[in-house]
């Protein structure tokens, strides 16, 4: 796994299966990361396995009484609203044999790790083989996590580096939860010159619901307060043009698949171009 934010300058020696480190063997090297901005971060891990609950939604629903009792003990349950968001279960964990997380807490910080090239290569995402470093150093204000925990040692213990989490709202299971969501929201941005009639329809326990709005060219609109128990959410875009154009998109269960609660819809196309839309969070385009 290799993740870096902006404002991170990677070391010149390439780390990876086909990089220079892989061919330097026992040579002693130093790898240095430069962080020009506070908050810049990098993460490098040699991943080994994933441990997960099979069908976590079903498992949580089958153990609701147990979850309620534990949530009540943690003051995250009451008899009226049920379980509060933020209480839940870790549903999967990704385990690594070695690696690092480093974040700069001040501008212009540096962090480096040194050791035998082959061991460093195994540690920083070159999967397989023994992983080790000699020492880590920094300049500025740095927060870091390294595994193995100490220099010049090998570790047979795997360490968890990423996880998925399912929370609950009342008795509704929210898979892939990352923050509290009160309702769903859709934000439309019309980059084209077509007038667009937007219709949303969805199903709730109290019946079918529909919302309609009009979106003028080069303007924005939003539809909020879509309930968390909405299912079969269907978006219909009706473009006002010489040749009638209608586009649709459907989400079966937004709960659990919209972790931020939002969907940003970008609409494009100017006459005579055919209109299209894209969904930012999903990387989807109708083109």
């Amino acid at each position: 796994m290799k993740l870096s934010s902006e404002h991170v300058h990677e070391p010149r020696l390439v780390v990876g299966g086909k990089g220079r480190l892989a061919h330097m063997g026992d040579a002693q090297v130093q790898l240095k990361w430069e962080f020009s901005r506070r908050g810049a971060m990098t993460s490098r891990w040699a991943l080994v396995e994933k441990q997960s609950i099979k069908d976590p939604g079903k498992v949580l629903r089958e153990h609701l009484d147990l979850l309620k009792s534990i949530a009540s003990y943690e003051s995250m349950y009451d008899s009226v609203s049920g379980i509060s968001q933020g209480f839940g279960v870790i549903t999967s964990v990704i385990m690594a044999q070695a690696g690092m997380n480093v974040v700069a807490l001040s501008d212009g910080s540096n962090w480096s790790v040194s050791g035998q090239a082959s061991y460093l290569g195994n540690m920083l995402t070159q999967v397989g083989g023994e992983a080790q470093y000699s020492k880590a150093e920094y300049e500025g204000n740095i927060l870091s996590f390294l595994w193995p925990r100490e220099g010049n040692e090998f570790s047979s213990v795997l360490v968890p580096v990423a996880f998925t989490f399912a929370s609950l709202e009342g008795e509704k299971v929210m898979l892939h939860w990352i923050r509290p969501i009160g309702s769903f929201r859709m934000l439309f941005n019309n980059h084209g010159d077509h007038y667009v009639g937007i219709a949303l329809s969805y199903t709730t326990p109290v019946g079918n619901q529909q919302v309609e709005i009009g979106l003028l060219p080069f303007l924005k609109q939003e539809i909020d307060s879509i309930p968390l128990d909405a299912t079969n959410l269907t978006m219909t875009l009706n473009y006002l043009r010489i040749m009638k154009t209608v586009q649709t998109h459907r989400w079966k269960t937004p709960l659990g698949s919209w972790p931020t609660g939002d969907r940003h819809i970008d609409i494009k196309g100017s006459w005579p171009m055919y209109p299209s839309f894209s969904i930012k969070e999903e990387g989807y385009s109708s083109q």
Side-chain angles (χ1 to χ4, degrees), residues 104-252:
L105 302 180
S106 62
D107 295 348
S109 299
N110 299 321
W111 187 87
S112 64
V113 62
S114 56
Q116 186 175 310
S118 60
Y119 289 157
L120 284 182
N122 292 336
M123 177 178 163
L124 302 176
T125 73
Q126 194 175 352
V127 178
E130 293 182 310
Q132 185 191 78
Y133 62 96
S134 296
K135 63 179 179 179
E137 301 173 292
Y138 65 93
E139 298 175 0
N141 197 354
I142 290 286
L143 177 65
S144 64
F145 178 88
L146 269 169
W147 193 262
R149 180 168 29 183
E150 302 290 341
N152 298 312
E153 72 172 25
F154 299 108
S155 176
S156 60
V157 177
L158 301 183
V159 61
V161 297
F163 65 92
T164 58
F165 180 78
S167 187
L168 295 100
E169 166 78 14
E171 296 189 357
K172 297 185 289 289
V173 176
M174 306 175 71
L175 299 174
H176 311 298
W177 187 91
I178 58 173
R179 72 181 191 193
I181 302 172
S183 62
F184 296 121
R185 180 177 64 160
M186 300 187 70
L187 301 100
F188 300 88
N189 191 356
N190 190 356
H191 300 276
D193 62 6
H194 298 294
Y195 174 87
V196 187
I198 302 170
L200 288 185
S201 62
Y202 52 86
T203 302
T204 71
V206 298
N208 297 328
Q209 307 293 325
Q210 183 159 322
V211 181
E212 295 182 359
I213 62 171
L215 181 57
L216 293 169
F218 310 110
L219 293 181
K220 300 179 181 180
Q221 279 264 39
E222 71 176 55
I223 298 176
D224 58 10
S225 301
I226 302 170
L228 295 180
D229 53 9
T231 58
N232 298 314
L233 175 61
T234 302
M235 173 186 73
T236 302
L237 304 179
N238 191 342
Y239 300 90
L240 183 61
R241 58 200 306 265
I242 294 177
M243 298 292 291
K244 183 177 181 180
T245 302
V246 177
Q247 296 175 330
T248 63
H249 194 82
R250 178 173 173 265
W251 295 267
K252 185 177 180 180

